[in-house]
Amino acid sequence: MKTAVEPYLFLVIFCGVAVVFPVIPLLMAWMWRHFFQPSKPGASKNAIYECGLDSTGEARVQFKSQYYIYCLIFLIFDVESIFLIPFAVAFTGLPVGAFIAILVFLFLLIEGLVWAWSKGGLNWVN
Amino acid sequence: MSEQIDEGLKSELQKQGVFVMPLEFLYNWGRRNSLWPLQFGLACCAIEMIAAAASRYDLARFGGEVFRPSPRQADLMIVSGTVTKKMAPQVVRLYNQMPDPKYVIAMGACAISGGPFKQGYNVLKGIDRYIPVDIYIPGCPPRPEALLHAFMELQKKIDNQKLTGPGQARHLDPSQPGEYPVPAFGAHDLEPPANCSVWQPPAVERGGDA
């Protein structure tokens, strides 16, 4: 009679090997440090910053989250300037309708700017 | 350590496929073939260092191509170029931040002695005034072959380092410091002008009565 082999047994063995294999070198390194290599900590070695310069000031810099409104407004106007450049380049060859269309576009832009300004979106500190 | 093993027994075992070696050999073998230099260049020597690491000269043949941008991961500091007094504290601090064991190659005339800029008011007259240097390479700048030669010499030095007893490696000796004092800017010069435990000014020999 054949003994029933657990089908997942090899997975258990595999997991065991996967754990033991990295643990052995780590253990050897730890033993080496413990028995041979003296620990030599120091102020610069334990320093957080590691580019050679002394760190100055606070690591925890706080900035206002309202900054994102400022960024969004900048982004919108930045993209819209890209629409205006081709218009300016082809200005002399354009019909009156295109001129009026771009005037409407500019009006919407200025209206948006006035709205954002009046809402206090351009103020750095609210 | 290797004297403790009988040579005849060693060769007999070798015939049977058993290799006996001291732990020291294995440790040094591993150390010397995986030197990771700190990626930091100070002046024109750094260009030669880049050339040595690139494909034509290929530092990777010696296991030293892994230039690390962080001192925490580096074993070897190649001081490649003029060390100004403005930069010297940073160099020493970077050396301090490297974990033991750490080695230093002073590359070129400037790193050794100040080189052509020795008379300059802001040039450090050799990085060995503050940190212990293992290998000096002369040249202005040294060719990549010279850097490879220095690398091989350093590997020889690591090969011969002792784990225990007198003359043991610096990082294994508890009496040797792991950090050296970082100089600061004084009124006229760096304070202190040199680390006396590492460097002593050479004795001046005056000529005789002649």
Side-chain angles (χ1 to χ4, degrees):
Chain A
M1 186 187 150
K2 268 173 75 177
T3 48
V5 177
E6 185 65 38
Y8 291 110
L9 182 65
F10 82 96
L11 274 182
V12 174
I13 296 169
F14 191 77
C15 285
V17 170
V19 169
V20 168
F21 197 71
V23 161
I24 287 173
L26 284 174
L27 206 67
M28 280 168 71
W30 181 85
M31 276 166 62
W32 179 269
R33 189 194 64 79
H34 190 75
F35 291 111
F36 290 99
Q37 187 137 353
S39 176
K40 292 175 181 176
S44 333
K45 199 182 263 185
N46 293 343
I48 297 162
Y49 201 45
E50 52 184 46
C51 87
L53 294 164
D54 258 338
S55 51
T56 54
E58 274 287 308
R60 292 183 176 183
V61 179
Q62 291 186 330
F63 61 93
K64 290 183 87 73
S65 61
Q66 283 96 328
Y67 178 63
Y68 88 96
I69 297 174
Y70 206 79
C71 276
L72 272 180
I73 295 169
F74 168 75
L75 194 72
I76 291 163
F77 281 86
D78 204 35
V79 171
E80 282 165 351
S81 69
I82 294 170
F83 290 115
L84 289 175
I85 288 166
F87 167 76
V89 169
F91 183 71
T92 49
L94 287 178
V96 183
F99 182 68
I100 292 167
I102 209 75
L103 273 186
V104 170
F105 179 64
L106 275 177
F107 173 73
L108 287 173
L109 270 188
I110 292 162
E111 192 195 2
L113 180 64
V114 168
W115 179 82
W117 203 336
S118 65
K119 282 283 189 181
L122 298 187
N123 290 341
W124 181 244
V125 181
N126 283 350
Chain B
M1 267 180 149
S2 55
E3 298 90 52
Q4 294 165 3
I5 307 161
D6 183 48
E7 279 302 316
L9 177 66
K10 200 175 171 183
S11 68
E12 276 300 311
L13 282 169
Q14 210 153 338
K15 279 173 199 161
Q16 303 295 321
V18 180
F19 291 89
V20 182
M21 65 183 80
L23 185 62
E24 193 175 272
F25 175 83
L26 202 62
Y27 178 82
N28 291 340
W29 176 80
R31 283 280 173 221
R32 77 158 193 265
N33 288 314
S34 65
L35 279 172
W36 289 11
L38 182 60
Q39 187 177 30
F40 112 104
L42 292 177
C44 26
C45 283
I47 308 297
E48 302 294 315
M49 183 175 75
I50 294 162
S55 54
R56 189 177 178 94
Y57 297 98
D58 200 11
L59 198 56
R61 291 177 290 163
F62 304 93
E65 83 283 14
V66 195
F67 278 83
R68 305 312 295 185
S70 164
R72 314 282 193 207
Q73 303 165 357
D75 305 308
L76 169 65
M77 176 183 254
I78 301 174
V79 184
S80 54
T82 320
V83 187
T84 56
K85 285 176 182 170
K86 182 94 173 171
M87 193 63 190
Q90 275 69 264
V91 174
V92 177
R93 200 173 285 119
L94 281 174
Y95 177 81
N96 286 346
Q97 289 178 342
M98 282 162 63
D100 280 310
K102 48 192 170 188
Y103 307 96
V104 178
I105 290 178
M107 182 180 183
C110 292
I112 294 173
S113 66
F117 313 113
K118 188 178 173 67
Q119 305 297 328
Y121 67 96
N122 62 339
V123 174
L124 187 70
K125 280 111 189 115
I127 190 62
D128 57 354
R129 289 180 180 223
Y130 290 113
I131 55 179
V133 175
D134 293 287
I135 306 287
Y136 298 85
I137 329 172
C140 187
R143 285 189 57 84
E145 290 97 329
L147 182 58
L148 292 182
H149 183 226
F151 213 84
M152 289 158 74
E153 289 296 319
L154 181 62
Q155 287 184 327
K156 273 185 209 163
K157 186 172 180 175
I158 294 171
D159 228 5
N160 291 325
Q161 69 186 5
K162 298 265 175 293
L163 297 191
T164 50
Q168 69 185 144
R170 195 190 306 125
H171 63 281
L172 298 172
D173 191 350
S175 64
Q176 293 282 337
E179 271 195 16
Y180 290 91
V182 180
F185 295 115
H188 304 292
D189 198 0
L190 288 172
E191 292 290 337
N195 181 0
C196 295
S197 69
V198 187
W199 186 82
Q200 292 290 334
V204 179
E205 287 181 27
R206 303 278 179 210
D209 298 326

